[in-house]
Amino acid sequence: MITGMVIPPGPRAESSRPSRRILARARLSAAIGTLLIPWVAGCAAMNRPSGIELTPVVSPPTRVHQQGKFVWQDLLTDDVDAARDF
């Protein structure tokens, strides 16, 4: 018998249980999903019309919405001091 010789362990038998790393990732994914889904739903709810009546850009107002159309509208005020502070 030879002393001082280290015999490496044999290949591990694959178990049917998932590893700890896989379980940790699954738990993290579930936690992120649990927080992310209500946040996305809240953002989607914020895109609803708010009921604020805005000044029409054209006269008479057409209620036609054109995605990406550039509109320039000057902002006017009678209170110059408040505008300067703004």
PDB file of all heavy atoms in Angstrom, residues 24-42:
ATOM      1  N   ALA A  24     -32.299  29.298  -5.738  1.00  0.00           N
ATOM      2  CA  ALA A  24     -32.133  30.708  -5.393  1.00  0.00           C
ATOM      3  C   ALA A  24     -32.543  31.606  -6.555  1.00  0.00           C
ATOM      4  O   ALA A  24     -33.208  32.627  -6.364  1.00  0.00           O
ATOM      5  CB  ALA A  24     -30.691  30.982  -4.986  1.00  0.00           C
ATOM      6  N   ARG A  25     -32.168  31.207  -7.777  1.00  0.00           N
ATOM      7  CA  ARG A  25     -32.570  31.989  -8.951  1.00  0.00           C
ATOM      8  C   ARG A  25     -34.075  31.972  -9.149  1.00  0.00           C
ATOM      9  O   ARG A  25     -34.679  32.967  -9.518  1.00  0.00           O
ATOM     10  CB  ARG A  25     -31.901  31.444 -10.198  1.00  0.00           C
ATOM     11  CG  ARG A  25     -30.593  32.049 -10.458  1.00  0.00           C
ATOM     12  CD  ARG A  25     -30.173  31.826 -11.878  1.00  0.00           C
ATOM     13  NE  ARG A  25     -28.802  32.267 -12.003  1.00  0.00           N
ATOM     14  CZ  ARG A  25     -27.982  31.856 -12.909  1.00  0.00           C
ATOM     15  NH1 ARG A  25     -28.378  30.982 -13.790  1.00  0.00           N
ATOM     16  NH2 ARG A  25     -26.758  32.317 -12.968  1.00  0.00           N
ATOM     17  N   ALA A  26     -34.684  30.838  -8.910  1.00  0.00           N
ATOM     18  CA  ALA A  26     -36.140  30.737  -9.065  1.00  0.00           C
ATOM     19  C   ALA A  26     -36.848  31.618  -8.048  1.00  0.00           C
ATOM     20  O   ALA A  26     -37.812  32.307  -8.378  1.00  0.00           O
ATOM     21  CB  ALA A  26     -36.584  29.287  -8.919  1.00  0.00           C
ATOM     22  N   ARG A  27     -36.350  31.623  -6.813  1.00  0.00           N
ATOM     23  CA  ARG A  27     -36.954  32.483  -5.781  1.00  0.00           C
ATOM     24  C   ARG A  27     -36.771  33.956  -6.124  1.00  0.00           C
ATOM     25  O   ARG A  27     -37.686  34.763  -5.950  1.00  0.00           O
ATOM     26  CB  ARG A  27     -36.334  32.166  -4.424  1.00  0.00           C
ATOM     27  CG  ARG A  27     -36.799  30.856  -3.861  1.00  0.00           C
ATOM     28  CD  ARG A  27     -36.262  30.654  -2.445  1.00  0.00           C
ATOM     29  NE  ARG A  27     -36.515  29.297  -2.001  1.00  0.00           N
ATOM     30  CZ  ARG A  27     -35.584  28.401  -1.725  1.00  0.00           C
ATOM     31  NH1 ARG A  27     -34.312  28.726  -1.811  1.00  0.00           N
ATOM     32  NH2 ARG A  27     -35.906  27.189  -1.342  1.00  0.00           N
ATOM     33  N   LEU A  28     -35.587  34.323  -6.612  1.00  0.00           N
ATOM     34  CA  LEU A  28     -35.338  35.708  -6.990  1.00  0.00           C
ATOM     35  C   LEU A  28     -36.232  36.123  -8.150  1.00  0.00           C
ATOM     36  O   LEU A  28     -36.809  37.210  -8.138  1.00  0.00           O
ATOM     37  CB  LEU A  28     -33.862  35.889  -7.369  1.00  0.00           C
ATOM     38  CG  LEU A  28     -33.454  37.288  -7.805  1.00  0.00           C
ATOM     39  CD1 LEU A  28     -33.656  38.280  -6.666  1.00  0.00           C
ATOM     40  CD2 LEU A  28     -32.013  37.291  -8.262  1.00  0.00           C
ATOM     41  N   SER A  29     -36.387  35.263  -9.129  1.00  0.00           N
ATOM     42  CA  SER A  29     -37.264  35.564 -10.263  1.00  0.00           C
ATOM     43  C   SER A  29     -38.711  35.738  -9.811  1.00  0.00           C
ATOM     44  O   SER A  29     -39.415  36.633 -10.281  1.00  0.00           O
ATOM     45  CB  SER A  29     -37.182  34.461 -11.312  1.00  0.00           C
ATOM     46  OG  SER A  29     -35.891  34.387 -11.842  1.00  0.00           O
ATOM     47  N   ALA A  30     -39.148  34.900  -8.906  1.00  0.00           N
ATOM     48  CA  ALA A  30     -40.517  35.017  -8.396  1.00  0.00           C
ATOM     49  C   ALA A  30     -40.705  36.320  -7.627  1.00  0.00           C
ATOM     50  O   ALA A  30     -41.727  36.993  -7.763  1.00  0.00           O
ATOM     51  CB  ALA A  30     -40.844  33.821  -7.513  1.00  0.00           C
ATOM     52  N   ALA A  31     -39.701  36.698  -6.835  1.00  0.00           N
ATOM     53  CA  ALA A  31     -39.799  37.946  -6.067  1.00  0.00           C
ATOM     54  C   ALA A  31     -39.823  39.153  -6.997  1.00  0.00           C
ATOM     55  O   ALA A  31     -40.621  40.081  -6.814  1.00  0.00           O
ATOM     56  CB  ALA A  31     -38.633  38.048  -5.085  1.00  0.00           C
ATOM     57  N   ILE A  32     -38.970  39.154  -8.006  1.00  0.00           N
ATOM     58  CA  ILE A  32     -38.948  40.273  -8.954  1.00  0.00           C
ATOM     59  C   ILE A  32     -40.270  40.337  -9.715  1.00  0.00           C
ATOM     60  O   ILE A  32     -40.837  41.415  -9.901  1.00  0.00           O
ATOM     61  CB  ILE A  32     -37.751  40.135  -9.913  1.00  0.00           C
ATOM     62  CG1 ILE A  32     -36.456  40.400  -9.146  1.00  0.00           C
ATOM     63  CG2 ILE A  32     -37.880  41.091 -11.092  1.00  0.00           C
ATOM     64  CD1 ILE A  32     -35.202  40.116  -9.939  1.00  0.00           C
ATOM     65  N   GLY A  33     -40.782  39.199 -10.146  1.00  0.00           N
ATOM     66  CA  GLY A  33     -42.060  39.178 -10.848  1.00  0.00           C
ATOM     67  C   GLY A  33     -43.203  39.671  -9.983  1.00  0.00           C
ATOM     68  O   GLY A  33     -44.077  40.395 -10.440  1.00  0.00           O
ATOM     69  N   THR A  34     -43.170  39.306  -8.710  1.00  0.00           N
ATOM     70  CA  THR A  34     -44.217  39.739  -7.780  1.00  0.00           C
ATOM     71  C   THR A  34     -44.211  41.251  -7.629  1.00  0.00           C
ATOM     72  O   THR A  34     -45.266  41.870  -7.500  1.00  0.00           O
ATOM     73  CB  THR A  34     -44.008  39.069  -6.404  1.00  0.00           C
ATOM     74  OG1 THR A  34     -44.038  37.651  -6.586  1.00  0.00           O
ATOM     75  CG2 THR A  34     -45.078  39.473  -5.428  1.00  0.00           C
ATOM     76  N   LEU A  35     -43.046  41.869  -7.665  1.00  0.00           N
ATOM     77  CA  LEU A  35     -42.962  43.323  -7.545  1.00  0.00           C
ATOM     78  C   LEU A  35     -43.166  44.023  -8.883  1.00  0.00           C
ATOM     79  O   LEU A  35     -43.710  45.119  -8.934  1.00  0.00           O
ATOM     80  CB  LEU A  35     -41.593  43.709  -6.972  1.00  0.00           C
ATOM     81  CG  LEU A  35     -41.309  43.224  -5.560  1.00  0.00           C
ATOM     82  CD1 LEU A  35     -39.881  43.556  -5.180  1.00  0.00           C
ATOM     83  CD2 LEU A  35     -42.278  43.837  -4.583  1.00  0.00           C
ATOM     84  N   LEU A  36     -42.738  43.405  -9.959  1.00  0.00           N
ATOM     85  CA  LEU A  36     -42.764  44.047 -11.257  1.00  0.00           C
ATOM     86  C   LEU A  36     -44.163  44.102 -11.866  1.00  0.00           C
ATOM     87  O   LEU A  36     -44.527  45.110 -12.472  1.00  0.00           O
ATOM     88  CB  LEU A  36     -41.821  43.302 -12.203  1.00  0.00           C
ATOM     89  CG  LEU A  36     -41.521  43.965 -13.534  1.00  0.00           C
ATOM     90  CD1 LEU A  36     -40.822  45.290 -13.315  1.00  0.00           C
ATOM     91  CD2 LEU A  36     -40.664  43.058 -14.387  1.00  0.00           C
ATOM     92  N   ILE A  37     -44.950  43.076 -11.698  1.00  0.00           N
ATOM     93  CA  ILE A  37     -46.277  43.029 -12.323  1.00  0.00           C
ATOM     94  C   ILE A  37     -47.188  44.153 -11.821  1.00  0.00           C
ATOM     95  O   ILE A  37     -47.787  44.857 -12.633  1.00  0.00           O
ATOM     96  CB  ILE A  37     -46.915  41.631 -12.142  1.00  0.00           C
ATOM     97  CG1 ILE A  37     -46.146  40.630 -13.012  1.00  0.00           C
ATOM     98  CG2 ILE A  37     -48.397  41.636 -12.506  1.00  0.00           C
ATOM     99  CD1 ILE A  37     -46.531  39.194 -12.791  1.00  0.00           C
ATOM    100  N   PRO A  38     -47.305  44.391 -10.507  1.00  0.00           N
ATOM    101  CA  PRO A  38     -48.141  45.524 -10.077  1.00  0.00           C
ATOM    102  C   PRO A  38     -47.594  46.881 -10.528  1.00  0.00           C
ATOM    103  O   PRO A  38     -48.349  47.792 -10.842  1.00  0.00           O
ATOM    104  CB  PRO A  38     -48.136  45.425  -8.553  1.00  0.00           C
ATOM    105  CG  PRO A  38     -47.729  44.043  -8.250  1.00  0.00           C
ATOM    106  CD  PRO A  38     -46.862  43.597  -9.377  1.00  0.00           C
ATOM    107  N   TRP A  39     -46.266  47.003 -10.598  1.00  0.00           N
ATOM    108  CA  TRP A  39     -45.666  48.260 -11.040  1.00  0.00           C
ATOM    109  C   TRP A  39     -46.029  48.541 -12.500  1.00  0.00           C
ATOM    110  O   TRP A  39     -46.403  49.657 -12.849  1.00  0.00           O
ATOM    111  CB  TRP A  39     -44.156  48.197 -10.851  1.00  0.00           C
ATOM    112  CG  TRP A  39     -43.454  49.443 -11.260  1.00  0.00           C
ATOM    113  CD1 TRP A  39     -43.421  50.633 -10.601  1.00  0.00           C
ATOM    114  CD2 TRP A  39     -42.699  49.630 -12.451  1.00  0.00           C
ATOM    115  NE1 TRP A  39     -42.679  51.529 -11.295  1.00  0.00           N
ATOM    116  CE2 TRP A  39     -42.219  50.950 -12.444  1.00  0.00           C
ATOM    117  CE3 TRP A  39     -42.366  48.802 -13.512  1.00  0.00           C
ATOM    118  CZ2 TRP A  39     -41.446  51.463 -13.458  1.00  0.00           C
ATOM    119  CZ3 TRP A  39     -41.589  49.322 -14.529  1.00  0.00           C
ATOM    120  CH2 TRP A  39     -41.138  50.630 -14.494  1.00  0.00           C
ATOM    121  N   VAL A  40     -45.938  47.528 -13.349  1.00  0.00           N
ATOM    122  CA  VAL A  40     -46.285  47.699 -14.758  1.00  0.00           C
ATOM    123  C   VAL A  40     -47.776  48.012 -14.896  1.00  0.00           C
ATOM    124  O   VAL A  40     -48.164  48.866 -15.684  1.00  0.00           O
ATOM    125  CB  VAL A  40     -45.890  46.443 -15.568  1.00  0.00           C
ATOM    126  CG1 VAL A  40     -46.472  46.481 -16.971  1.00  0.00           C
ATOM    127  CG2 VAL A  40     -44.378  46.312 -15.622  1.00  0.00           C
ATOM    128  N   ALA A  41     -48.596  47.346 -14.122  1.00  0.00           N
ATOM    129  CA  ALA A  41     -50.040  47.605 -14.175  1.00  0.00           C
ATOM    130  C   ALA A  41     -50.341  49.038 -13.736  1.00  0.00           C
ATOM    131  O   ALA A  41     -51.209  49.708 -14.306  1.00  0.00           O
ATOM    132  CB  ALA A  41     -50.781  46.603 -13.302  1.00  0.00           C
ATOM    133  N   GLY A  42     -49.627  49.521 -12.735  1.00  0.00           N
ATOM    134  CA  GLY A  42     -49.815  50.902 -12.282  1.00  0.00           C
ATOM    135  C   GLY A  42     -49.406  51.899 -13.341  1.00  0.00           C
ATOM    136  O   GLY A  42     -50.072  52.921 -13.545  1.00  0.00           O
TER     137      GLY A  42
END
